[in-house]
Amino acid sequence: MSYNLYRAAYGYGFDPYYILILIAGVLCMIASYRVNSVYSKYARVRSMCGMTGAMVADEILRRNGITDVTINHVSGNLTDHFDPRNKTVNLSDATYNSTSVAAIAVAAHECGHVCQHAQGYFPIQIRSSLAPAASIGSKMGIPIIFLGFILSFQPLVRVGIIVFSLAVFFQLVTLPVEFNASHRALVMLNEYGILAEEEVSDGRKVLTAAAMTYVASAATAVLQLLRFIALNNRRRDD
Ligand SMILES: [Zn+2]
């Protein structure tokens, strides 16, 4: 490993940001463990209405007059998502055919995203238009920054920081989108009489645990960005 690469990777060792990033990394692991455990707890709680996740999604879309979105069954664990490009609500094995409170909450959350799109909710519009740039930023940002450090070429580091910050901004915009989709989901489940009062509060626990994984990863990304900016400034002062 070259001296410069070594310095880029470890040279500043345990600076305050490095420790914060480690803490945020641990929080990511805790959040991901927690969403799995909360989900599996409420995946065993059968809802009183007896509807499956797919039936609930269908009901919510119908009630909102949305007819151009298809509900699909996809494999995997917690892989549920709404894809605005082909207008599909994709529900995983654990959600599609399950009548649990967890499945219903997750299905309703994905329909919350559908409603955001249908109603032109501003943060999801920003998020969608930012998605391609953010995907490049998350793949290329850190390699460009490291290359800049290796070559000791400040302008390249700055380009990398700008590219990476697109990915960080995307993660930040994701937060209101996620919290709003969960809020919409719980209001609709209550309003349409799909879940009873206490079931709604159990559903909220599932969706809040899921949202925490987004909060933890956004915090990690922000701290990484701050660390690169700090390292670059220190470089300049060397
Ligand atoms: Zn979501």
Side-chain angles (χ1 to χ4, degrees):
M1 184 184 277
S2 81
Y3 174 69
N4 278 335
L5 179 59
Y6 178 83
R7 291 257 293 182
Y10 306 108
Y12 298 102
F14 288 91
D15 60 64
Y17 285 115
Y18 194 76
I19 293 163
L20 288 173
I21 290 166
L22 286 181
I23 293 170
V26 172
L27 290 179
C28 282
M29 286 191 282
I30 294 172
S32 128
Y33 169 79
R34 195 172 148 72
V35 69
N36 280 301
S37 72
V38 173
Y39 189 92
S40 56
K41 176 177 176 190
Y42 292 103
R44 290 191 295 268
V45 179
R46 203 174 175 280
S47 71
M48 285 185 272
C49 69
M51 292 168 80
T52 63
M55 286 160 76
V56 167
D58 196 54
E59 172 76 3
I60 291 175
L61 297 186
R62 191 185 62 77
R63 289 230 191 200
N64 284 276
I66 292 162
T67 51
D68 57 348
V69 172
T70 317
I71 300 161
N72 288 338
H73 185 175
V74 292
S75 60
N77 179 30
L78 295 176
T79 49
D80 308 79
H81 65 282
F82 167 56
D83 190 340
R85 289 164 301 180
N86 57 12
K87 294 195 167 236
T88 52
V89 169
N90 300 282
L91 302 178
S92 66
D93 295 328
T95 310
Y96 193 92
N97 281 321
S98 166
T99 59
S100 74
V101 170
I104 289 176
V106 169
H109 170 95
E110 300 312 330
C111 293
H113 287 309
V114 176
C115 296
Q116 288 173 331
H117 265 276
Q119 294 164 16
Y121 176 65
F122 189 54
I124 206 167
Q125 289 180 325
I126 302 177
R127 192 181 181 275
S128 301
S129 55
L130 213 69
S135 146
I136 296 170
S138 71
K139 287 192 202 87
M140 299 301 295
I142 293 179
I144 294 173
I145 292 169
F146 269 71
L147 192 62
F149 278 134
I150 292 165
L151 302 174
S152 290
F153 188 50
Q154 290 256 329
L156 194 58
V157 175
R158 277 199 289 273
V159 168
I161 286 175
I162 291 165
V163 171
F164 183 61
S165 65
L166 290 170
V168 176
F169 184 61
F170 180 81
Q171 293 215 41
L172 290 175
V173 177
T174 298
L175 300 181
V177 172
E178 290 304 319
F179 280 105
N180 177 268
S182 292
H183 175 73
R184 286 170 188 257
L186 296 166
V187 169
M188 290 189 287
L189 290 173
N190 185 37
E191 218 170 80
Y192 304 160
I194 297 170
L195 291 186
E197 208 70 48
E198 66 272 24
E199 291 177 319
V200 170
S201 100
D202 291 344
R204 179 173 290 113
K205 286 175 199 158
V206 173
L207 297 182
T208 304
M212 284 309 133
T213 61
Y214 289 99
V215 173
S217 66
T220 308
V222 168
L223 290 168
Q224 276 181 310
L225 178 63
L226 291 176
R227 181 167 191 256
F228 288 132
I229 292 169
L231 285 181
N232 190 38
N233 289 343
R234 233 184 292 180
R235 271 285 157 114
R236 209 170 43 205
D237 301 339
D238 272 357

